[in-house]
Amino acid sequence: MTRHFLSLSDAGGDTIAAMLNDAIDRKAARKDWPKARPDADAPLAGHVLAMIFEKNSTRTRVSFDMAMRQLGGSALIMEAGSTQLGRGETVADTARVLSRMVDAIMIRTDDHAKIEELAHYAEVPVINGLTDLSHPCQIVADLLTVVERGFALPGLQVAWLGDGNNVANSLIEAAGQMKFTVRIGGPAGYEPNAGFIEQARAAGAEVILTQDPAEAVKGAQVVVTDTWVSMGQPGGEKHVAAMQPYQVNAALMAQADPRAMFLHCLPAHREEEVTNEVIDGPQSAVWDEAENRLHSQKSVLLWALGKL
Ligand code: CP
Ligand code: NVA
């Protein structure tokens, strides 16, 4: 069976735990330079990852490329606009052709149905590098950052503030898999996907929706936010006004657990969803979180290619 990674549940909780352990071990075994030196075992030597981008990216692009180099393989970037996909070649035909030439495909796209179609027709693993629905690779990096700081996942209390977007959906999915609690603080009409909430609750996780930002962060060990307007989504002044009470600032952080860490997948819109004081402050783990995209994605790639 081809191992696609479209969502965290494609891997499952035990595999995610194994990915985190593998990422911790590989990270510890590396010196931080030279950055592209392959890991001693070079487990993906000779392997190539094709990366299709239909939306902008800094972290996902660089971390997947560097992950492949460190695993002994390589990556090639396909900006959708300069490929035949951008001129109307079908997703199915693209999947068939790439499967003959590369070992795995990562795609960042808008409509989640497109990645499902790609996976359906691909004979090599397809990895979700963000869709409008979810961003599972980001959450593996976030979990790694949390574990690295000494927090155990089962029983953890996580607060999400602001827009119930793709990253929030994957965080909720992770809550179900790794058995932690998520409290979502955001305005009415911007709730995360109902299917993800139901699935996490059915798996035994507590998922609480509130419009009170203080209730969301109370006692939380992890406070997370993201842009108020995701790529390709409509924004506007009314939207920003509705989000304002959910800004993560020092006053809100003070209501969380005193040991609470702050996470943001980045890019940040400083002084909108988070103040400079918080993102640049002692509780912020955002730079470790960004670096951990690299380490955690190595584990995702190894699992998808049957090496983990
Ligand atoms: N967090 C994240 O996915 O960043 P990029 O959009 O830069 O890839
Ligand atoms: N929610 C954001 C995440 C960017 C990495 C977006 O989709 O634009």
Side-chain angles (χ1 to χ4, degrees), residues 74-121:
S74 60
L76 55 91
I77 291 176
M78 302 168 66
E79 297 286 1
S82 64
T83 67
Q84 299 294 7
L85 198 55
R87 288 185 58 246
E89 186 169 14
T90 67
V91 169
D93 289 354
T94 305
R96 292 178 176 114
V97 171
L98 288 180
S99 298
R100 300 287 179 102
M101 297 193 207
V102 302
D103 300 286
I105 304 167
M106 190 284 297
I107 181 166
R108 168 167 286 198
T109 187
D110 39 25
D111 187 358
H112 195 79
K114 225 185 263 184
I115 195 173
E116 286 178 341
E117 192 183 352
L118 189 74
H120 181 78
Y121 290 101

Side-chain angles (χ1 to χ4, degrees), residues 53 56-61 108 129-130 135 138 231 264-267 293:
F53 285 99
N56 294 45
S57 168
T58 297
R59 278 144 290 267
T60 302
R61 172 189 305 226
R108 168 167 286 198
L130 180 146
H135 196 3
Q138 180 65 51
M231 291 181 278
H264 188 312
C265 65
L266 305 176
R293 288 297 303 278

Side-chain angles (χ1 to χ4, degrees), residues 7-283:
S7 68
L8 295 167
S9 47
D10 286 339
D14 290 347
T15 298
I16 293 166
M19 285 178 183
L20 298 178
N21 287 334
D22 178 72
I24 287 166
D25 290 348
R26 282 187 183 276
K27 185 174 177 180
R30 287 192 69 84
K31 293 195 181 69
D32 67 354
W33 54 267
K35 296 273 201 298
R37 178 178 54 83
D39 292 353
D41 56 347
L44 295 186
H47 290 69
V48 175
L49 172 74
M51 302 195 278
I52 304 173
F53 285 99
E54 294 194 309
K55 284 180 170 180
N56 294 45
S57 168
T58 297
R59 278 144 290 267
T60 302
R61 172 189 305 226
V62 176
S63 58
F64 267 108
D65 193 330
M66 293 305 292
M68 285 305 289
R69 292 181 204 217
Q70 292 189 2
L71 294 170
S74 60
L76 55 91
I77 291 176
M78 302 168 66
E79 297 286 1
S82 64
T83 67
Q84 299 294 7
L85 198 55
R87 288 185 58 246
E89 186 169 14
T90 67
V91 169
D93 289 354
T94 305
R96 292 178 176 114
V97 171
L98 288 180
S99 298
R100 300 287 179 102
M101 297 193 207
V102 302
D103 300 286
I105 304 167
M106 190 284 297
I107 181 166
R108 168 167 286 198
T109 187
D110 39 25
D111 187 358
H112 195 79
K114 225 185 263 184
I115 195 173
E116 286 178 341
E117 192 183 352
L118 189 74
H120 181 78
Y121 290 101
E123 286 162 22
V124 297
V126 172
I127 297 173
N128 180 352
L130 180 146
T131 69
D132 287 353
L133 185 69
S134 58
H135 196 3
C137 289
Q138 180 65 51
I139 295 304
V140 185
D142 289 12
L143 298 182
L144 176 58
T145 313
V146 167
V147 168
E148 227 173 36
R149 300 238 164 172
F151 292 109
L153 295 177
L156 189 76
Q157 300 205 38
V158 180
W160 173 275
L161 279 303
D163 188 26
N165 63 16
N166 44 8
V167 179
N169 290 338
S170 290
L171 178 67
I172 291 167
E173 189 178 28
Q177 310 244 302
M178 311 312 283
K179 314 294 175 215
F180 57 87
T181 296
V182 195
R183 287 195 295 273
I184 308 286
Y190 296 92
E191 292 85 3
N193 178 280
F196 279 85
I197 297 172
E198 269 167 41
Q199 199 186 24
R201 284 179 178 158
E206 205 177 346
V207 182
I208 296 153
L209 303 186
T210 174
Q211 290 170 29
D212 177 0
E215 187 191 340
V217 300
K218 191 163 182 274
Q221 289 98 32
V222 183
V223 177
V224 200
T225 192
D226 185 15
T227 179
W228 289 337
V229 186
S230 285
M231 291 181 278
Q233 307 293 314
E237 265 173 49
K238 249 175 88 181
H239 182 111
V240 169
M243 291 291 165
Q244 198 61 52
Y246 305 94
Q247 181 190 65
V248 181
N249 51 36
L252 194 62
M253 280 304 286
Q255 298 180 67
D257 186 311
R259 299 165 301 161
M261 58 194 283
F262 170 73
L263 294 178
H264 188 312
C265 65
L266 305 176
H269 301 76
R270 287 166 173 266
E271 301 298 325
E272 288 191 19
E273 73 269 9
V274 59
T275 58
N276 287 326
E277 191 180 4
V278 170
I279 196 170
D280 296 328
Q283 288 172 286

